[in-house]
Amino acid sequence: MSSLAEFDRVATTGSLAGYRLQSLDLTTRTFALLATDATDSVFLGCVMEPDAAAKVRAGGALVFPPVPGLPFDPYHRALYTSDELFSGLLEAGYDATPDALTYRWFQETKAADDVVAGMLRSIHDDAVSDALDEHLAGAHVVGILGGHAQARGSDAYAGAARLGRRLSRDGLTVATGGGPGAMEAANLGAYTAPYDDTVLDEALELLSTAPHFSPSVTEWARAAFDVLRSRPGGGPSVAMPTWFYGHEPPNAFATHIAKYFVNALREEGLLARANAGVVFLPGAAGTVQEVFDAVTLNYYRPQGDPTPMVLVNHRHWTETLPAWPLLRTLAAGHPMAGKITLVDSVDAVPEALARLTDEAAGPGNGS
């Protein structure tokens, strides 16, 4: 339960038993709380008058009170927006934003082995997963993963942006790992999908003035917000970054951001939700890990068709980081063999995804 309207509707029945209430200001609902059964209900970060809080506890509710002084809300009931994570960027720079402050808090509490902080991180990540599932219900999600090192202004970055735009225009929900490089480019492409093609070209040119988040995250992020201000209300997409890699800032082009403390939840969560397939652009160790995370999910999938997997760039995946030969060997004789393919360019991805989605799983491979 995450709205006062819903609270009012349920409270009129006389029972909140078994409900989970999240980040609600209930200070004006004291009478309802005193008069309502709260057995086995859970209050996460809800603000209540002392009498109301004492009553629901005594009635068998579990109450997790608000935690003052944190740079984030551990009971966050919705997905983040870039405006929320980058609040204060234009006035004071990236180091003063909630995103940077939360990463600093994470580093400090992790180093101190703070048990309470660990509990708060877990509650936060669970709340984010709930919000993500609610947002993606019924969506056809395509994951786009790739290296953070792809610089703005490069052909590879522009290609990833065109891919995000094309897949978004095809009616798919683009979901990325939420970081810089290929991930940012795909979210940018989805954002510009409702506009004519010149808008993406203009955005790419503007962004090329700050090609990488190093040495200045502030200038890198400000260039993104220049694009957002010039074209407000772009197309939707999802990003799933992590404070585990907090030295890599999230990108600003996703309209819905599920940011996690635990990287494993973020990676497996993205792959598990990519029901329309996963595209792997060239990357390094993180992308290789994601390839084989997806392989593991497909290999041991207990029921249903495997998720289509499209690797992009023959040379990268057969010579630079030869994951493809191993992937094809693992898939041989397995249902996922008919759901994997290797293509040479982003332009071939939409057709490959459509083909793998239509084909029944079989013994062949898609290359």
Side-chain angles (χ1 to χ4, degrees), residues 73 76 78-88 97-99 225:
D73 178 7
H76 205 276
L79 296 179
Y80 291 100
T81 65
S82 56
D83 284 341
E84 186 177 3
L85 290 174
F86 286 100
S87 177
T97 65
D99 187 67
F225 278 92

Side-chain angles (χ1 to χ4, degrees), residues 249-272:
N251 78 73
F253 293 112
T255 53
H256 298 83
I257 303 172
K259 188 149 191 179
Y260 288 87
F261 288 105
V262 177
N263 184 52
L265 287 176
R266 164 250 193 174
E267 287 187 344
E268 185 169 332
L270 193 162
L271 295 169

Side-chain angles (χ1 to χ4, degrees), residues 10-259:
V10 175
T12 59
T13 68
S15 178
L16 293 167
Y19 276 87
R20 171 172 165 163
L21 298 86
Q22 194 167 341
S23 295
L24 295 176
D25 185 347
L26 299 173
T27 52
T28 61
R29 302 300 195 274
T30 298
F31 178 80
L33 290 168
L34 292 175
T36 305
D37 178 20
T39 306
D40 295 328
S41 58
V42 179
F43 292 79
L44 295 169
C46 295
V47 182
M48 295 178 278
E49 294 291 350
D51 287 352
K55 187 269 179 185
V56 296
R57 283 194 183 97
L62 185 61
V63 178
F64 291 83
V67 184
L70 292 178
F72 68 100
D73 178 7
Y75 314 109
H76 205 276
R77 67 176 185 237
L79 296 179
Y80 291 100
T81 65
S82 56
D83 284 341
E84 186 177 3
L85 290 174
F86 286 100
S87 177
L89 171 79
L90 301 182
E91 300 79 12
Y94 176 70
D95 287 346
T97 65
D99 187 67
L101 294 172
T102 300
Y103 176 55
R104 195 174 309 149
W105 173 89
F106 178 34
Q107 294 295 100
E108 292 170 354
T109 57
K110 186 172 65 171
D113 197 21
D114 188 325
V115 174
V116 173
M119 179 188 69
L120 293 173
R121 294 195 297 267
S122 296
I123 292 172
H124 169 275
D125 285 1
D126 181 66
V128 167
S129 288
D130 285 348
L132 184 61
D133 286 337
E134 182 177 342
H135 175 70
L136 292 179
H140 297 287
V141 182
V142 59
I144 302 180
L145 301 170
H148 70 269
Q150 286 186 6
R152 295 166 172 176
S154 68
D155 290 342
Y157 185 95
R162 291 197 309 272
L163 176 62
R165 181 179 65 185
R166 168 63 188 278
L167 295 177
S168 184
R169 287 175 175 176
D170 286 347
L172 298 173
T173 297
V174 170
T176 79
M183 296 169 284
E184 178 188 58
N187 287 125
L188 167 66
Y191 187 83
T192 61
Y195 301 108
D196 64 61
D197 290 355
T198 61
V199 171
L200 178 56
D201 295 336
E202 293 167 359
L204 291 171
E205 183 176 355
L206 192 157
L207 292 171
S208 67
T209 61
H212 201 266
F213 65 88
S214 175
S216 174
V217 175
T218 297
E219 295 308 311
W220 175 84
R222 282 176 174 167
F225 278 92
D226 286 342
V227 172
L228 294 173
R229 283 196 302 273
S230 69
R231 296 287 180 174
S237 68
V238 172
M240 296 175 62
T242 174
W243 281 293
F244 183 81
Y245 294 130
H247 58 286
E248 295 178 14
N251 78 73
F253 293 112
T255 53
H256 298 83
I257 303 172
K259 188 149 191 179

